[in-house]
Amino acid sequence: MSFRPDDFDAPLERAITHARSWLAAEPDRPVRPTDDIDAVLARMPSHLQQGRMDPGVVVDELADAVVPGLMSMGSGRFFGWVIGGTMPSALAADWLVSAWDQNSALRFATPGVVAVEEVAATWILDLLGLPAGAEVGFVTGAQMANFTGLAAARQQVLTRVGWDLDLLGLSGAPRVTVLASEDRHATVDLALRYLGLGAPTLVAVDDQGRIRPDALAAALASNDGPTIVCLAAGNLHSGAFDPFTECIALAHAAGAWVHVDGAFGLWAAASPTLRHLMAGCADADSWATDAHKTLNTPYDCGIAIVRHPAALRSALGTSTSYLIADETHSDPFETVPEFSRRARGVPVWAALRALGRSGVAELVDNLALRARQIADGVATIPGARVVNDVDYTQVCVVFENDDRTRAVTARLLADGVAWMSGSRWRGVEVLRVSVSNWSTDDLDVEMSLDALRRAAA
Ligand SMILES: *Cc1c(COP(=O)(O)O)cnc(C)c1O
């Protein structure tokens, strides 16, 4: 087999045809998948055949088999988990990332895409109001962004007490205390487990899931070893933001590192009307966010931001004889857990370039506006009640009792016009609406409220 450029034509043509038909049908197809996984599997060959197959035919077979099993996560009526769709600029740039196929580990080796990522990083720090000198790493999602920030945190708090983590590992190390809210995201716990730090010590929250400064102060006072404090920008259920100014001052006075999980909330800082929610957050030491949620780039892209470059490089960097590293700048591989990776910051650049500063602000404002409209509409549905303060993108709805909430959720999902997640918050079943898609408009809101009204009737 030798390389012939023409060989790419047919499969790429087929891919663009299938992509276009998928995207064109998005407004009209049910949001939920029409087939379950058994139906999809039944359409696929179970054994790998002996010989080669034409790549264009492979692409056709793939699309034909899977499309009925796809969830319309890019729909303006998809409000499940916290997901986000894909903007045209970001999707097209993502295709180029695959075609260019750069291993984006080193400035010297792949200067084209690393330059784009460095520009995107600068823009992100500026838009999110974070310190210009912070390191930015493009990871798979907020899970790994949380891991990255907490890895730098662990390194720094142990170094401060004279423990050589790289040489000695954690065995016999002073105990690192991690304080996190009762309402933290599960990925914080998972990141702490990856890091060998065990379960966090939980700190009480208020009725919106915000960490309580008095409880944090008490927790900080009751230990004097190396400490990390995890705060949240954007509670999964309420969308609430922790009181950063007070909490970060308390944590820093106690010598703790502050990490902020802002998977979707950090973007509030890009909006002049929502920025107040982020007040004080820029004083933290590390931040985790996603591009594949609020910024609406394709999966997958998370962003890890660390104020202290030396701590991050020391936690995740490495040196070998065959890497020609840059002496003056961090290379991409030193700021993320991965060694080799795709240039996932390129779609971020494209999305930001297409939107501009005002476009990013409008994107975030629109999500919050739609959440407000949905909350207002829910209030007119008999038996339905919004249980959170809708200040950002999340709306939690309850019906008369848990059974009713579960039943309405099941009927809504079966109906297919919209998708919202069932969840449990503060001890009760809730129907959670997360507005994360750039394209959600008046009609989507209206159709989704009608679907909810039908499900509740
Ligand atoms: C989605 C989310 C995460 C995890 O992000 P992934 O992109 O799924 O890795 C962490 N924290 C919060 C608050 C989230 O909403």
Side-chain angles (χ1 to χ4, degrees), residues 128-342:
L128 303 186
L130 300 179
E135 288 281 7
V136 177
F138 293 99
V139 291
T140 51
Q143 168 69 81
M144 292 316 286
N146 279 329
F147 171 83
T148 300
L150 292 167
R154 181 183 69 167
Q155 193 87 18
Q156 175 125 330
V157 298
L158 283 172
T159 300
R160 272 200 213 127
V161 294
W163 184 261
D164 187 338
L165 180 66
D166 295 343
L167 188 67
L168 302 171
L170 277 179
S171 304
R175 168 102 196 152
V176 176
T177 301
V178 182
L179 303 175
S181 95
E182 285 171 342
D183 232 14
R184 77 221 165 275
H185 194 269
T187 54
V188 169
D189 295 53
L190 201 49
L192 295 173
R193 276 159 55 199
Y194 297 164
L195 290 162
L197 294 178
T201 301
L202 300 187
V203 182
V205 295
D206 68 13
D207 66 344
Q208 297 300 309
R210 283 178 294 244
I211 201 164
R212 277 180 28 204
D214 60 328
L216 179 63
L220 285 165
S222 69
N223 94 288
D224 56 3
T227 306
I228 300 168
V229 172
C230 293
L231 300 177
N235 179 287
L236 199 56
H237 288 99
S238 68
F241 292 68
D242 283 344
F244 297 116
T245 306
E246 208 176 340
C247 291
I248 295 175
L250 286 167
H252 282 167
W257 176 293
V258 179
H259 173 75
V260 178
D261 175 4
F264 62 98
L266 234 49
W267 295 89
S271 152
T273 50
L274 295 168
R275 189 169 290 156
H276 63 98
L277 297 167
M278 283 281 290
C281 187
D283 292 334
D285 300 286
S286 56
W287 303 264
T289 192
D290 270 319
H292 57 217
K293 291 178 177 172
T294 311
L295 188 61
N296 281 256
T297 66
Y299 274 82
D300 47 27
C301 185
I303 304 168
I305 305 167
V306 177
R307 176 191 294 278
H308 314 285
L312 182 60
R313 285 172 82 144
S314 137
L316 299 180
T318 184
S319 62
T320 71
S321 56
Y322 64 89
L323 295 178
I324 303 165
D326 194 297
E327 297 296 329
T328 51
H329 292 81
S330 289
D331 276 298
F333 81 90
E334 297 176 292
T335 64
V336 297
E338 293 85 0
F339 199 52
S340 300
R341 67 169 176 87
R342 73 191 268 102

Side-chain angles (χ1 to χ4, degrees), residues 6-91:
D6 294 359
D7 289 346
F8 289 90
D9 290 350
L12 288 180
E13 293 294 342
R14 298 309 300 145
I16 198 165
T17 302
H18 289 297
R20 281 198 172 126
S21 78
W22 163 256
L23 294 166
E26 199 120 68
D28 302 315
R29 66 192 303 280
V31 176
R32 61 169 159 70
T34 45
D35 278 0
D36 64 12
I37 189 160
D38 290 333
V40 178
L41 284 170
R43 271 195 300 276
M44 306 199 63
S46 53
H47 295 288
L48 181 60
Q49 83 282 355
Q50 190 56 38
R52 293 171 190 278
M53 197 167 149
D54 178 82
V57 176
V58 171
V59 173
D60 284 341
E61 183 181 284
L62 175 68
D64 293 344
V66 308
V67 165
L70 298 180
M71 171 84 86
S72 247
M73 288 184 163
S75 163
R77 285 173 274 111
F78 180 84
F79 304 106
W81 303 283
V82 184
I83 300 274
T86 299
M87 285 187 296
S89 53
L91 173 59

